[in-house]
Amino acid sequence: MVSDSPTLAITSRVKQLKKQGHDVVNFAAGEPDFDTPQAIKQAAIDAINKGFTKYTPTAGIIELREAVAEKFKKDNSLDYPADQIVISCGAKHSIYNVVLAIAETDDEIIIPSPYWVSYSEMAILAEAKPVFLETSAQEDFKINPKKLEKIITKKTKALILNSPSNPTGVVYKRKELEEIAKICLSKKIYVISDEIYEKLLYDNEEFISIGSLGKDIFPQVITVNGVSKTFSMTGWRIGYLGASKDVASAVKKIQDHSTSNPTSISQMAALAALKMPEAEVVKMRDEFQKRRDYMIQRLDKIPQLKYIRPQGAFYIFCDIAKTKMNSNTFAEKLLDETKVALIPGKGFGRDDFVRLSFATDLESIKKGMDRIEKWLRQ
Ligand SMILES: Cc1ncc(COP(=O)(O)O)c(C=O)c1O
């Protein structure tokens, strides 16, 4: 059975508590708290005023697909022609379409655990089977190539790779990706590379797209990205993918008969985002880094919580085993007793962890960390 999204459930509870007048600190957020940059908003307003409000080609307007092709080339050394790019209603939609396109009933999709909550449910919705590849904090929550090789069967269709990762913030290095690519190549399985947090990297960490590692692995990789996290555009719902001709065409067909094109106005906004100077994104990234550094510094003073230092995204995955609470109890009690919201790790595959998001202002982070520290001391 498909589960509710635990992140969306907590987010709506936070909204409800705030509406009732409670002073809630929200460490549950899965989206940047910054406003969408003005130039992007203006492009959408212009689109409306010019009457750009009708159906577009299913895979997205050619200008946007060309801009994505250029982005892939410039940022990721990936050579997708515009006709191998499909624009969808968010990266979530892109990934779901891919799973539907490539997986037959009972095919296996390998999901490294801990994992973003929707991957497993997408596999189930496509009548495929999510197969979890356990990783450990001792291994920095990264895929162990030997374990990956062992878990692949004749039914395996794809590995979902997410770097930087939600919920752990882990970022894969070139060498690690090369080992993974080698295995996926020899076993002839797809890699669905979810690169949505690509631009949110800290400590000068380098971002590598697995599809750029060689001509041989490239056609087996489906590269997914979007504008939600990079440009603070979560509500606009624009994601995109680059894939082989066959996969891109299958995804387009699914979209033809399900959603049709993503919103025309949002496509114009996404086009403006991709054409925007990088400085705006760097400003947001630098602010996230400050917040991460502060949160880490506070966590270092709380003996009950252990964590892996995130190199990307805007989450810290905290080990709560010392508190002897499971993740739902921890999250519920914390919210009830201190009005601090975070996401239980259970939905990410680890009931002994919780996810704290630093996608909120520094003052709120300070207030929330004060409350958590005091609560755990008691
Ligand atoms: C790992 C990961 N992939 C994809 C998405 C979906 O992004 P979008 O808003 O583009 O659908 C999210 C959003 O939380 C995410 O955390």
Side-chain angles (χ1 to χ4, degrees):
M1 203 175 69
V2 176
S3 316
D4 289 334
S5 164
T7 44
L8 296 182
I10 299 241
T11 310
S12 84
R13 173 112 200 268
V14 168
K15 280 194 183 136
Q16 196 187 11
L17 283 168
K18 278 190 175 165
K19 222 171 152 184
Q20 290 165 358
H22 292 287
D23 174 24
V24 184
V25 175
N26 189 10
F27 290 160
E31 59 186 352
D33 53 315
F34 308 110
D35 196 5
T36 303
Q38 188 54 36
I40 299 174
K41 290 190 200 171
Q42 192 57 50
I45 294 165
D46 291 346
I48 296 174
N49 287 336
K50 286 182 189 153
F52 194 71
T53 53
K54 303 285 164 61
Y55 292 133
T56 76
T58 295
I61 53 174
I62 185 67
E63 295 85 345
L64 181 55
R65 279 184 287 136
E66 278 170 352
V68 169
E70 207 179 300
K71 179 253 174 275
F72 273 145
K73 199 167 193 153
K74 180 168 83 61
D75 294 352
N76 312 111
S77 308
L78 295 169
D79 227 335
Y80 292 111
D83 65 350
Q84 287 175 221
I85 285 164
V86 183
I87 317 292
S88 299
C89 311
K92 188 182 255 185
H93 188 208
S94 303
I95 301 165
Y96 181 48
N97 281 343
V98 172
V99 176
L100 279 178
I102 64 173
E104 305 287 337
T105 302
D106 293 336
D107 276 349
E108 295 172 2
I109 307 287
I110 298 180
I111 302 171
S113 174
Y115 54 90
W116 179 45
V117 293
S118 291
Y119 296 143
S120 52
E121 310 311 295
M122 286 176 184
I124 293 168
L125 283 166
E127 294 186 355
K129 194 172 145 205
V131 174
F132 299 107
L133 173 58
E134 295 305 328
T135 68
S136 66
Q138 291 73 24
E139 293 174 306
D140 279 350
F141 288 122
K142 284 183 178 169
I143 295 170
N144 176 322
K146 286 198 184 99
K147 286 191 200 158
L148 171 63
E149 197 159 18
K150 257 198 201 144
I151 212 170
I152 296 173
T153 71
K154 285 199 170 65
K155 294 207 153 200
T156 306
K157 259 287 146 65
L159 162 72
I160 302 186
L161 189 71
N162 178 214
S163 172
S165 150
N166 174 8
T168 62
V170 154
V171 178
Y172 281 82
K173 309 246 181 247
R174 181 181 293 273
K175 220 158 171 37
E176 295 160 343
L177 291 174
E178 279 170 354
E179 284 192 66
I180 294 168
K182 207 164 115 192
I183 295 166
C184 295
L185 199 59
S186 78
K187 301 281 186 182
K188 296 191 175 58
I189 64 168
Y190 289 111
V191 181
I192 303 172
S193 182
D194 179 353
E195 306 185 353
I196 193 81
Y197 294 101
E198 171 202 4
K199 296 286 179 189
L200 303 177
L201 284 186
Y202 312 117
D203 308 329
N204 299 316
E205 190 70 40
E206 187 191 11
F207 179 79
I208 311 282
S209 282
I210 189 164
S212 71
L213 293 181
K215 282 203 169 68
D216 44 5
I217 189 68
F218 179 62
Q220 272 171 240
V221 177
I222 297 119
T223 310
V224 178
N225 209 323
V227 295
S228 286
K229 318 283 176 173
T230 306
F231 301 101
S232 206
M233 288 178 71
T234 46
W236 299 75
R237 308 311 302 132
I238 296 288
Y240 52 81
L241 62 79
S244 66
K245 263 201 168 74
D246 289 353
V247 173
S249 149
V251 165
K252 186 188 134 320
K253 268 190 230 164
I254 291 171
Q255 235 170 246
D256 271 340
H257 300 293
S258 52
T259 55
S260 296
N261 61 277
T263 313
S264 58
I265 302 152
S266 290
Q267 288 189 60
M268 289 309 263
L271 181 59
L274 291 175
K275 302 260 177 205
M276 219 171 63
E278 185 104 350
E280 194 98 18
V281 176
V282 171
K283 219 163 67 191
M284 291 196 246
R285 201 258 337 262
D286 290 350
E287 182 60 32
F288 277 131
Q289 175 148 344
K290 257 192 245 159
R291 297 165 177 187
R292 181 206 64 163
D293 292 348
Y294 178 76
M295 207 178 227
I296 280 177
Q297 190 195 317
R298 294 294 307 265
L299 283 168
D300 284 338
K301 299 199 177 93
I302 305 179
Q304 293 95 329
L305 302 178
K306 276 197 305 190
Y307 66 91
I308 295 279
R309 184 184 175 86
Q311 298 299 125
F314 38 67
Y315 310 107
I316 305 184
F317 207 42
C318 281
D319 183 336
I320 55 163
K322 275 193 186 156
T323 68
K324 305 243 176 341
M325 281 181 261
N326 67 32
S327 64
N328 279 331
T329 308
F330 186 100
E332 274 168 27
K333 272 176 160 284
L334 186 70
L335 187 55
D336 284 348
E337 294 170 21
T338 74
K339 302 291 177 286
V340 175
L342 42 69
I343 307 284
K346 192 163 187 227
F348 303 103
R350 287 301 295 258
D351 205 11
D352 48 346
F353 278 75
V354 292
R355 190 194 74 179
L356 276 76
S357 156
F358 47 91
T360 186
D361 62 282
L362 259 180
E363 208 174 303
S364 303
I365 296 179
K366 181 173 183 313
K367 187 161 42 167
M369 293 312 294
D370 286 346
R371 290 185 196 176
I372 293 178
E373 198 173 10
K374 191 166 160 216
W375 181 69
L376 283 173
R377 225 184 287 129
Q378 284 163 2

